[in-house]
Amino acid sequence: PGGVGQGAAAQEPVGSASQPPGLTTFQVSISGELESATNLGGGPLLARVYFQHGPDWEPTAGATQGITQLSSPALPIFRTASIWMPSPSEVVWNFPLGVVYKSTNVFGWPRVVVAVFGTDMCNRHIVKGYGTVHVPCRPGRHERVVRLFCPVASSWWIRFMGWLLGNPASFIDPRTLASPDGREVVRVSSGGEVKVVFNVVMKDTKEFNFSF
């Protein structure tokens, strides 16, 4: 009887080790802020932010898209300074970002798509620029500068009519920037930058043999 009891006691830890609590996903927590935009001219600006990801990624918390407030550059200290000095070009939003993903594969790593809009002389919203950047794949705090670009119409007449009607060339869905399909046939002009701050935290990546 004593031997049987010892055998049962010896088998218990073996059975528990053969069936550990398995992990099916790892997690990536992304926070930060859409800080500011520069070199986009005067006037109030707002931005739309989208998180895009691959088919194996699933958001579990937070928001994958958002829209900032309408913000204007700071005024010069002296009114007469605007006569010979250019107007300040930095527009500050400090718009918070936050989303948590779970996935089983690094393919389709999340990226951020930014679309900046301004106003024309008739107070109509017009696009100022688009940009996209991958979320950093290392834990910690990161700063990224997203260079913006705008699509250009195929002829000067269409560009003139777009300016006159307040409807210049633009993307129907800005999230298409995260896809490489059709990008080679789009004419664009560059201009402006957006600063984005990321705080990245990862969990259970080593169990999937991913080292960052």
Side-chain angles (χ1 to χ4, degrees):
V4 174
Q6 293 177 357
Q11 292 178 1
E12 184 175 354
V14 174
S16 61
S18 62
Q19 297 179 354
L23 294 173
T24 58
T25 61
F26 63 89
Q27 293 185 356
V28 178
S29 174
I30 307 165
S31 62
E33 62 182 6
L34 190 70
E35 189 171 286
S36 60
T38 55
N39 301 325
L40 287 174
L45 299 175
L46 64 85
R48 295 180 181 270
V49 189
Y50 307 89
F51 279 93
Q52 286 295 101
H53 51 84
D56 296 330
W57 293 75
E58 180 182 351
T60 59
T64 57
Q65 56 182 305
I67 181 171
T68 69
Q69 74 276 11
L70 199 63
S71 182
S72 299
L75 294 175
I77 299 177
F78 303 102
R79 292 181 180 272
T80 56
S82 60
I83 299 176
W84 63 84
M85 295 179 61
S87 60
S89 60
E90 184 178 19
V91 175
V92 179
W93 295 304
N94 290 332
F95 182 74
L97 306 174
V99 63
V100 179
Y101 283 102
K102 68 177 182 179
S103 179
T104 59
N105 194 347
V106 295
F107 176 77
W109 190 269
R111 64 191 303 165
V112 173
V113 178
V114 180
V116 181
F117 296 87
T119 56
D120 60 6
M121 57 184 178
C122 297
N123 203 29
R124 297 172 296 195
H125 281 187
I126 59 173
V127 64
K128 290 288 188 176
Y130 300 96
T132 179
V133 64
H134 274 103
V135 173
C137 59
R138 293 181 64 90
R141 186 180 187 275
H142 309 269
E143 294 183 0
R144 294 291 184 269
V145 176
V146 184
R147 301 189 182 276
L148 304 180
F149 57 88
C150 279
V152 178
S154 57
S155 68
W156 68 268
W157 174 251
I158 297 178
R159 288 195 293 270
F160 173 74
M161 293 301 297
W163 171 82
L164 184 64
L165 300 177
N167 187 26
S170 60
F171 294 104
I172 297 177
D173 187 357
R175 290 172 291 186
T176 57
L177 298 178
S179 174
D181 299 333
R183 291 284 301 276
E184 69 278 358
V185 298
V186 179
R187 298 175 57 191
V188 298
S189 62
S190 59
E193 299 173 347
V194 168
K195 183 179 180 181
V196 188
V197 178
F198 294 101
N199 299 305
V200 182
V201 178
M202 301 180 185
K203 181 182 178 183
D204 300 328
T205 55
K206 291 185 178 180
E207 281 72 6
F208 288 81
N209 296 323
F210 297 140
S211 179
F212 299 96

